[in-house]
């Protein structure tokens, strides 16, 4: 890096607003690319913006914590944004009441499948116990997943990476999988992607339709709740079962 530019960067990096500004600019650039390619799922703006920011931090030698000190305002807004998802869900209330039974069955089955399949694949590949416990909660939103991972003996930082990966994969391939399975009901589509791919998948579901997004938001919230309550109890039992 040019010495003058490096001095400027060192000066700017001390500002807490730099991380926030970089985050917003990176996502704006990523969304512009996403729009230019016709909203192709492979050009997911979250994936592109993460890549831009990672490259920038590596190129400038900026510690992640320094970046996060400025970008944490976006992290804070995750809470209000999640609560606001109740608004489109309320509009789907009549459909929701008519599907209560099937949705509860799908929630339990999907939540257990997401956790146990990840644990099982990791075990077959010879993963360490910490890695396996980090894998189990990868389909719920990051704050819950990190808390659950710490509780059951996983690595919260590894879980955070796995959560983002699961979300991006679901957002990129979820709609294509639904098409191949001939699933045309947007409520079913949204609920499935909400269980498997939490917030990133939910954002993608809203691009399909408001109904898909509303049911994805419902699934994301309920899956986070059931995972937080069940995994600390289920995983020791699973370990004992397979150890025996």
């Amino acid at each position: 890096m040019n010495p003058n530019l490096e001095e400027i960067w060192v000066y700017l990096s001390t500002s807490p607003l730099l991380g926030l500004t970089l985050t917003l600019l990176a996502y704006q650039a990523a969304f512009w690319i996403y729009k230019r390619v016709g909203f192709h799922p492979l050009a997911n703006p979250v994936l592109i913006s993460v890549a831009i920011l990672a490259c920038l931090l590596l190129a400038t030698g900026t510690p992640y914590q320094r970046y996060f000190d400025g970008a944490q305002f976006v992290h804070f807004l995750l809470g209000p944004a999640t609560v606001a998802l109740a608004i489109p869900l309320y509009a789907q209330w009549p459909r929701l009441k008519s599907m209560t039974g099937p949705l509860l069955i799908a929630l339990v089955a999907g939540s257990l499948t997401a956790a146990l399949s990840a644990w099982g694949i990791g075990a077959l590949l010879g993963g360490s116990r910490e890695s396996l416990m980090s894998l189990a909660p990868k389909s719920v939103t990051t704050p819950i997943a990190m808390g659950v991972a710490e509780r059951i003996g996983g690595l919260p930082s590894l879980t955070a990476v796995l959560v983002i990966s699961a979300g991006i994969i679901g957002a990129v391939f979820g709609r294509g999988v639904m098409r191949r399975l001939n699933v045309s009901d947007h409520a079913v589509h949204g609920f499935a992607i909400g269980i498997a791919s939490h917030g990133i998948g939910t954002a993608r579901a809203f691009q399909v339709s408001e109904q898909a997004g509303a049911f994805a938001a419902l699934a994301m919230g309920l899956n986070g709740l059931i995972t937080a309550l069940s995994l600390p109890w289920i995983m020791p039992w699973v370990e004992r079962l397979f150890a025996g």
Side-chain angles (χ1 to χ4, degrees):
M1 184 182 292
N2 184 289
N4 291 331
L5 291 178
E6 186 173 0
E7 290 176 7
I8 294 173
W9 175 260
V10 170
Y11 172 76
L12 290 175
S13 65
T14 60
S15 170
L17 291 179
L18 181 64
L20 176 61
T21 303
L22 290 177
T23 302
L24 297 177
L25 290 176
Y27 188 81
Q28 188 64 34
F31 192 82
W32 179 83
I33 295 171
Y34 186 47
K35 187 175 181 180
R36 291 281 293 180
V37 299
F39 300 101
H40 194 284
L42 289 177
N44 185 276
V46 175
L47 175 60
I48 295 175
S49 56
V50 167
I52 292 172
L53 289 170
C55 291
L56 183 59
L57 295 182
L58 287 172
T60 58
T62 303
Y64 174 77
Q65 188 58 49
R66 184 186 298 172
Y67 156 76
F68 185 73
D69 287 342
Q72 60 183 327
F73 183 69
V74 176
H75 187 266
F76 167 78
L77 290 176
L78 285 175
T82 302
V83 174
L85 292 174
I87 297 173
L89 183 61
Y90 178 76
Q92 303 296 324
W93 185 246
R95 182 86 194 276
L96 174 60
K97 288 194 295 184
S98 68
M99 297 175 66
T100 300
L103 289 179
L104 289 176
I105 295 172
L107 172 66
V108 174
S111 180
L112 292 176
T113 300
L116 297 182
S117 63
W119 186 93
I121 293 172
L124 288 174
L125 295 175
S128 66
R129 182 182 184 277
E130 287 183 329
S131 298
L132 298 180
M133 293 305 174
S134 301
L135 274 166
K138 51 82 182 158
S139 288
V140 300
T141 189
T142 306
I144 297 176
M146 293 178 69
V148 171
E150 186 174 14
R151 176 81 181 274
I152 63 177
L155 302 171
S157 56
L158 176 58
T159 297
V161 174
L162 295 169
V163 168
I164 294 172
S165 300
I168 291 173
I169 291 171
V172 170
F173 298 107
R175 194 175 183 188
V177 171
M178 292 294 109
R179 284 202 193 104
R180 289 190 174 274
L181 294 175
N182 294 319
V183 177
S184 57
D185 191 322
H186 285 190
V188 175
H189 177 174
F191 200 79
I193 200 169
I195 289 177
S197 301
H198 50 83
I200 299 176
T202 297
R204 174 61 177 159
F206 270 109
Q207 293 176 349
V208 175
S209 71
E210 183 174 324
Q211 185 180 70
F215 276 83
L218 174 66
M220 176 183 69
L222 292 178
N223 188 35
L225 175 63
I226 195 172
T227 299
L229 294 175
S230 64
L231 275 195
W233 174 77
I234 289 175
M235 296 316 299
W237 180 82
V238 170
E239 283 189 299
R240 288 195 298 269
L241 178 65
F242 282 89

